[in-house]
Amino acid sequence: AAAAELQGKYQKLAQEYSKLRAQNQVLKKGVVDEQANSASLKEQLKMKDQSLRKLQQEMDSLTFRNQQLAKRVELLQDELALSEARGKKNKKSVESSSQLSQEQKSVFNEDLQKKIEENERLHILFFEADEQHKRLEAELRSRLEVLETDAAQHQAVVDSLTKKYTETIEKLQNEKAKLEIKSQTLEREAKDCRLRTEECQQQLKNLQAALGSRLEESLCIINEKVPFNDTRSTRYNALNVPLHNRRNQLKLRDLAGQALAFVQELVTALLNFHTYTEQKVQIFPVDSATDTISPLNQKFSQYLHENASYVRPLEEGMLHLFQSITEDTVTVLETTVKLKAFSEHLASYLGFLRKILPYQLKSLEEECESSLCTAALRARNMELHRDMKRLTAVFEKLHTYVSLLALPSTKPEGLLRTNYNFVFTNIAASLHGFHDILKDISKHYSQKATLEQEVPTATQKLITTNDCILSSVAALTNGAGKMASFFSNNLDHFTASLSYGPKAGAEFISPLSAECMLQYKKKAAAYMKALKKPCADSVPYEEALANRRVLLSSTESREGLAQQVQQSLEKIAKLEQEKEHWMLEAQLAKIKLEKENQKLRNSLSGHLTETIQEHSTLPNIAEQRKETTEKSLREPIKSTSLSAKHKCCLPTFLLCQAPDVESREDLIKTHYMARIAELTSHLQLADSKSVHFHAECRALAKRLSLAEKSKESLTEELKLASQNITRLQASQLFCNDELMTTKRSYEDQLSMMSDHLCSMNETLTKQREEIDTLKMASK
């Protein structure tokens, strides 16, 4: 213990030494910085002195120049007086002298005026430079004195610290020597302890061998005489199904429904509050529609715009929790797994509040700094500043206690059953605190809204937004008050109903045992229902599987045919539209053809005699055209370039004639019509095949999905089986532990009985000796 104390003292001194050493380094650095600053200030002082000397020299030169100019002015004035006295001798000389004197006067006056102005400007510059130099010199001297005093203080601190460090180093070295001596003694004691432990281990081996022989006897007795009693063990008793309290379950479901309604009301109010706060940020103190708001408020409104993704999950989590509480389940904290999801949603909303809190506080501070904010409005803003911090703190408390309530369903060692009442009480107190904070926020915000209405730049949009925020805060306050009173009124029921367990047992051991208990309850209920209902005639598995495959294939073929019909109808509609389009094109082409024929007839009117001679050859040409059309109808695939062949085969004279043009167009038309019919037939055949293949692929995909689902169900059953195996192995290990404990208890009882028998034998021997002595005495 003394060594541990010394070690602790040594560590503390070492820590202090390291701290002082770090402070010494900081102080040294500060002294060096101050010395550098003082040197730089001295250099600046020298530079200022040099500039002052230059200015003084300039001033002296200017004064000398001014004196020269003054003397020159005096001389000029004397000359002017003399010239005036000499005047009036003759008219011409006077006029000439007056003109010269006036010109000289004007020149001298201008020169004098310039010199006076320059002298005045130089005087002003000199005075300003002198004043600035004096001020800088005074500041630098005061700063130099302060820095010298600081440097002296730092040097004194450094000296004292170095002295203290040397003393602590000497003390630590002395203590280190003492600790080394103690460590040597402790090593000797450790060697002695090792020898003793070896002796104890040998004795333990001997005892284990002796107990092993006695364990076999006790196991035989236990297997023959002691029955298995699962109520003696809390682990096994936790797997027993407790008595089903239907009234309690209905009451809990009713309470969960009321809590869900309150949470929905709170969620709606929170959504409205965040949304209207976002609108308020965008219109006050700067309206985003007329001017750009600050980057802080832009970021704040962007975060507020995401409020639904954090607030909506609270309602969903409470809804899932309400749906998990049914009439058939056993609802305790170990079985309410959905409470963990609600706690996670509450944690995400708390993170959202923590994220927007600094922006909200900075936004209020920025609003206080604006010119529109009065003293009263600034006071209300600071009150809201404090209220928002308190609101986030209350949500942190609620999240802490709700997460504690969710621990028994995941980590049972995290919350003991004796603390359930404490956690529920704190949740009720936090809800009441939440209600009080919301009342303060409502009061302060109403005062703030009335003050903002008095601002001259207040718009109708701002007034309506403030009214909406006040209504949402009022709804939030009412919802919080209802929830707080609801939780306080049902606090005893929550504490009693969410902590009961199996009969003659203290508690559920773990969430796994609670889950197993619910599975056993479902199996028991299913077994009871199966006993009441007669067994129906079942279909053989192979027959049912074949019927199912036929049913699936028939439904797939029906769906495929329906899709094919739908596609055919769409194609028919498209073809009708294309038919109308091509009919219009054909009419336009006919009109163009008639115009071309008319032109050809006009051009060929002069060649009438030649056309009469060639009428005899036209029937042969018509017969040839009929044969070619029949061939094109019989073999449409081979006649892709029929029009080109006809153009090449026909003579150039026939191509220029109008009847030949019409017959050629007819041949081309028949050829392309036959080609289009053939391609449409091929296209329909390909469409039917593709639809058939698509239906087969869908049927195969359906079968594949069913096979995957069956595979997943089988894997889940395999997982459950492996979990059951691990549970059985754990129970077997626990049984072994129980057997070891019972074995030890029986061994203790046997040792006590053997001691008792020894004492009885001693008393019997003593009694026999007394009887023998009495017999000898009687003889």
Side-chain angles (χ1 to χ4, degrees):
E5 290 178 358
L6 287 171
Q7 188 69 21
K9 288 180 181 178
Y10 182 74
Q11 290 177 358
K12 287 180 182 178
L13 289 171
Q15 290 174 0
E16 290 178 359
Y17 176 70
S18 62
K19 288 180 182 177
L20 293 171
R21 192 171 182 180
Q23 291 175 1
N24 189 11
Q25 293 293 332
V26 173
L27 291 171
K28 282 182 179 178
K29 188 176 179 182
V31 169
V32 172
D33 293 337
E34 293 298 330
Q35 288 176 355
N37 289 329
S38 65
S40 65
L41 290 171
K42 287 178 180 178
E43 291 292 332
Q44 291 179 4
L45 185 61
K46 288 180 182 178
M47 296 294 289
K48 296 294 180 183
D49 289 333
Q50 290 177 2
S51 63
L52 180 62
R53 290 192 192 98
K54 287 180 182 179
L55 291 171
Q56 284 178 353
Q57 289 175 2
E58 289 178 358
M59 188 65 189
D60 293 336
S61 64
L62 289 171
T63 52
F64 179 71
R65 182 66 177 163
N66 286 332
Q67 289 174 2
Q68 287 181 350
L69 291 170
K71 289 178 181 179
R72 189 176 177 186
V73 168
E74 288 176 358
L75 290 172
L76 291 170
Q77 286 177 355
D78 293 337
E79 289 177 358
L80 181 63
L82 290 171
S83 63
E84 286 178 355
R86 289 173 191 168
K88 300 180 181 179
K89 288 182 179 180
N90 51 19
K91 199 169 187 180
K92 292 180 181 178
S93 64
V94 168
E95 288 177 358
S96 62
S97 63
S98 64
Q99 288 177 358
L100 288 170
S101 64
Q102 286 175 1
E103 289 177 357
Q104 287 177 357
K105 280 181 182 180
S106 64
V107 170
F108 289 151
N109 287 329
E110 288 177 1
D111 193 6
L112 182 63
Q113 185 67 30
K114 288 179 182 179
K115 296 297 180 181
I116 289 167
E117 289 176 357
E118 187 178 359
N119 193 8
E120 214 175 291
R121 184 174 57 80
L122 289 172
H123 272 290
I124 291 165
L125 288 172
F126 176 74
F127 180 74
E128 289 178 353
D130 192 11
E131 290 294 326
Q132 188 177 3
H133 177 263
K134 288 178 181 178
R135 188 172 60 255
L136 283 172
E137 186 178 0
E139 288 178 359
L140 291 172
R141 286 184 186 281
S142 62
R143 190 175 176 186
L144 183 61
E145 290 175 359
V146 172
L147 291 173
E148 285 177 352
T149 54
D150 290 340
Q153 291 176 0
H154 290 317
Q155 190 64 34
V157 172
V158 168
D159 294 336
S160 64
L161 288 172
T162 52
K163 187 177 179 181
K164 190 176 179 181
Y165 292 155
T166 54
E167 291 175 357
T168 52
I169 287 166
E170 290 176 358
K171 288 180 182 179
L172 290 170
Q173 286 177 353
N174 295 327
E175 289 179 357
K176 183 181 178 183
K178 292 178 183 178
L179 289 171
E180 286 178 353
I181 296 167
K182 286 186 178 180
S183 66
Q184 290 176 0
T185 56
L186 289 170
E187 283 178 357
R188 294 193 197 98
E189 291 177 358
K191 288 180 181 177
D192 297 335
C193 291
R194 287 195 194 96
L195 294 173
R196 290 177 186 174
T197 52
E198 289 176 356
E199 292 176 359
C200 292
Q201 285 177 357
Q202 189 63 33
Q203 292 178 3
L204 181 62
K205 287 179 181 178
N206 296 328
L207 288 172
Q208 283 179 352
L211 289 171
S213 61
R214 296 174 67 180
L215 176 63
E216 294 178 357
E217 297 177 0
S218 61
L219 285 173
C220 293
I221 295 169
I222 289 166
N223 291 327
E224 292 177 359
K225 302 295 183 182
V226 180
F228 178 72
N229 187 9
D230 58 354
T231 57
R232 291 178 60 186
S233 171
T234 54
R235 292 180 180 274
Y236 295 140
N237 193 29
L239 298 175
N240 289 327
V241 180
L243 295 175
H244 183 61
N245 193 349
R246 183 172 177 273
R247 184 179 298 172
N248 185 22
Q249 286 297 119
L250 292 175
K251 177 69 174 175
L252 278 176
R253 185 168 175 80
D254 185 20
L255 293 176
Q258 295 179 22
L260 174 62
F262 293 143
V263 168
Q264 287 174 348
E265 187 176 351
L266 280 175
V267 164
T268 306
L270 284 172
L271 286 171
N272 292 331
F273 178 68
H274 291 314
T275 305
Y276 294 135
T277 305
E278 178 189 358
Q279 294 179 6
K280 171 71 181 301
V281 166
Q282 291 180 356
I283 64 174
F284 188 80
V286 178
D287 195 354
S288 61
T290 58
D291 198 358
T292 57
I293 61 176
S294 64
L296 175 73
N297 285 332
Q298 288 178 2
K299 198 72 175 174
F300 184 35
S301 63
Q302 181 182 355
Y303 284 149
L304 285 173
H305 192 67
E306 302 170 356
N307 65 85
S309 60
Y310 297 98
V311 180
R312 289 290 183 192
L314 293 174
E315 182 180 354
E316 294 175 2
M318 197 65 197
L319 180 62
H320 292 320
L321 180 61
F322 169 70
Q323 291 173 354
S324 65
I325 301 172
T326 59
E327 184 181 346
D328 299 330
T329 58
V330 178
T331 303
V332 288
L333 286 178
E334 289 81 2
T335 59
T336 52
V337 183
K338 299 296 182 181
L339 192 60
K340 179 67 176 176
F342 180 73
S343 174
E344 291 173 354
H345 295 323
L346 186 60
S348 66
Y349 179 66
L350 177 60
F352 171 70
L353 287 180
R354 288 173 179 167
K355 183 170 70 172
I356 67 171
L357 179 62
Y359 292 97
Q360 198 164 15
L361 301 181
K362 290 290 183 183
S363 178
L364 288 171
E365 292 171 2
E366 185 177 338
E367 188 177 339
C368 292
E369 291 174 0
S370 67
S371 59
L372 299 174
C373 188
T374 60
L377 190 58
R378 192 175 294 109
R380 300 290 84 75
N381 285 333
M382 296 312 294
E383 288 173 353
L384 284 173
H385 192 281
R386 291 189 293 271
D387 292 339
M388 292 304 169
K389 289 183 180 177
R390 291 169 59 202
L391 183 65
T392 308
V394 165
F395 268 104
E396 287 179 354
K397 266 189 189 177
L398 282 172
H399 169 251
T400 302
Y401 292 122
V402 172
S403 61
L404 284 175
L405 284 182
L407 279 178
S409 61
T410 54
K411 295 179 182 178
E413 67 275 5
L415 183 65
L416 299 176
R417 187 175 288 268
T418 53
N419 295 327
Y420 287 178
N421 191 9
F422 176 73
V423 174
F424 281 117
T425 306
N426 282 323
I427 289 175
S430 300
L431 287 172
H432 282 290
F434 179 49
H435 182 229
D436 295 336
I437 290 167
L438 287 174
K439 285 195 291 186
D440 292 340
I441 290 172
S442 179
K443 181 177 72 175
H444 296 153
Y445 215 101
S446 63
Q447 294 172 358
K448 183 178 184 298
T450 54
L451 290 172
E452 285 178 355
Q453 287 179 5
E454 297 173 359
V455 175
T457 58
T459 59
Q460 187 63 35
K461 189 177 180 181
L462 177 63
I463 295 169
T464 54
T465 305
N466 283 333
D467 293 338
C468 293
I469 292 174
L470 285 173
S471 63
S472 63
V473 172
L476 198 59
T477 308
N478 293 330
K482 289 178 185 177
M483 183 168 282
S485 60
F486 160 75
F487 205 87
S488 299
N489 294 332
N490 298 289
L491 187 60
D492 296 333
H493 188 270
F494 284 138
T495 306
S497 62
L498 294 177
S499 60
Y500 79 95
K503 188 177 180 181
E507 59 184 359
F508 289 108
I509 301 302
S510 65
L512 190 61
S513 64
E515 186 181 355
C516 291
M517 181 273 296
L518 291 176
Q519 290 179 1
Y520 296 153
K521 184 178 182 300
K522 290 178 182 177
K523 287 180 180 179
Y527 179 69
M528 295 300 290
K529 288 181 180 178
L531 289 176
K532 290 180 181 180
K533 292 181 180 179
C535 295
D537 296 333
S538 63
V539 181
Y541 180 72
E542 291 80 3
E543 185 179 354
L545 189 61
N547 292 334
R548 186 169 178 274
R549 287 175 181 171
V550 170
L551 181 62
L552 285 173
S553 63
S554 63
T555 54
E556 288 294 330
S557 62
R558 190 182 302 164
E559 290 176 358
L561 289 171
Q563 288 183 357
Q564 188 176 359
V565 169
Q566 185 66 28
Q567 291 176 0
S568 299
L569 290 172
E570 291 176 357
K571 287 180 181 179
I572 288 166
K574 288 180 181 178
L575 289 171
E576 289 290 336
Q577 292 177 359
E578 290 179 357
K579 180 183 175 183
E580 292 177 358
H581 172 70
W582 288 114
M583 284 177 71
L584 292 172
E585 290 289 335
Q587 289 178 1
L588 292 171
K590 282 181 181 179
I591 292 166
K592 289 180 182 179
L593 182 62
E594 288 176 359
K595 289 180 181 179
E596 292 293 332
N597 290 331
Q598 188 67 32
K599 287 179 183 179
L600 286 170
R601 288 191 188 96
N602 293 328
S603 63
L604 294 174
S605 60
H607 302 283
L608 186 60
T609 57
E610 293 178 1
T611 54
I612 292 167
Q613 290 175 1
E614 290 177 358
H615 272 304
S616 60
T617 59
L618 287 176
N620 296 326
I621 294 168
E623 289 177 0
Q624 289 178 0
R625 286 174 184 165
K626 285 181 182 178
E627 289 177 358
T628 53
T629 52
E630 287 176 359
K631 287 180 181 179
S632 65
L633 290 171
R634 289 173 186 172
E635 297 176 358
I637 298 170
K638 295 178 182 179
S639 60
T640 54
S641 61
L642 188 62
S643 61
K645 288 180 182 179
H646 282 298
K647 286 180 182 179
C648 295
C649 295
L650 291 174
T652 57
F653 179 75
L654 292 174
L655 290 172
C656 296
Q657 303 297 323
D660 292 339
V661 170
E662 291 178 358
S663 60
R664 185 180 63 189
E665 293 295 333
D666 292 335
L667 288 173
I668 293 168
K669 183 179 178 182
T670 52
H671 165 66
Y672 280 115
M673 289 297 289
R675 186 65 178 163
I676 288 166
E678 184 183 1
L679 290 174
T680 50
S681 63
H682 282 297
L683 184 61
Q684 288 177 358
L685 182 62
D687 287 340
S688 62
K689 285 182 180 180
S690 64
V691 169
H692 177 66
F693 288 146
H694 179 66
E696 287 184 356
C697 290
R698 285 192 64 191
L700 290 172
K702 190 78 173 178
R703 290 176 186 174
L704 182 62
S705 63
L706 291 170
E708 287 177 353
K709 286 180 182 178
S710 63
K711 181 182 175 182
E712 289 176 357
S713 63
L714 290 171
T715 52
E716 288 178 357
E717 289 177 0
L718 183 62
K719 287 179 182 178
L720 291 172
S722 61
Q723 288 176 1
N724 290 326
I725 288 166
T726 54
R727 289 172 190 169
L728 291 171
Q729 289 175 355
S731 63
Q732 185 179 3
L733 291 172
F734 182 72
C735 288
N736 292 331
D737 295 336
E738 289 290 327
L739 288 172
M740 289 295 291
T741 53
T742 51
K743 170 195 167 186
R744 288 172 186 169
S745 63
Y746 277 114
E747 286 174 356
D748 294 335
Q749 289 178 4
L750 288 170
S751 62
M752 290 173 66
M753 289 174 71
S754 62
D755 294 336
H756 185 64
L757 287 171
C758 291
S759 63
M760 290 286 287
N761 288 327
E762 289 176 357
T763 53
L764 286 172
T765 52
K766 287 179 181 179
Q767 288 177 1
R768 284 175 183 173
E769 288 175 357
E770 289 176 358
I771 289 167
D772 291 335
T773 54
L774 288 171
K775 284 181 180 180
M776 291 295 291
S778 64
K779 286 180 181 180

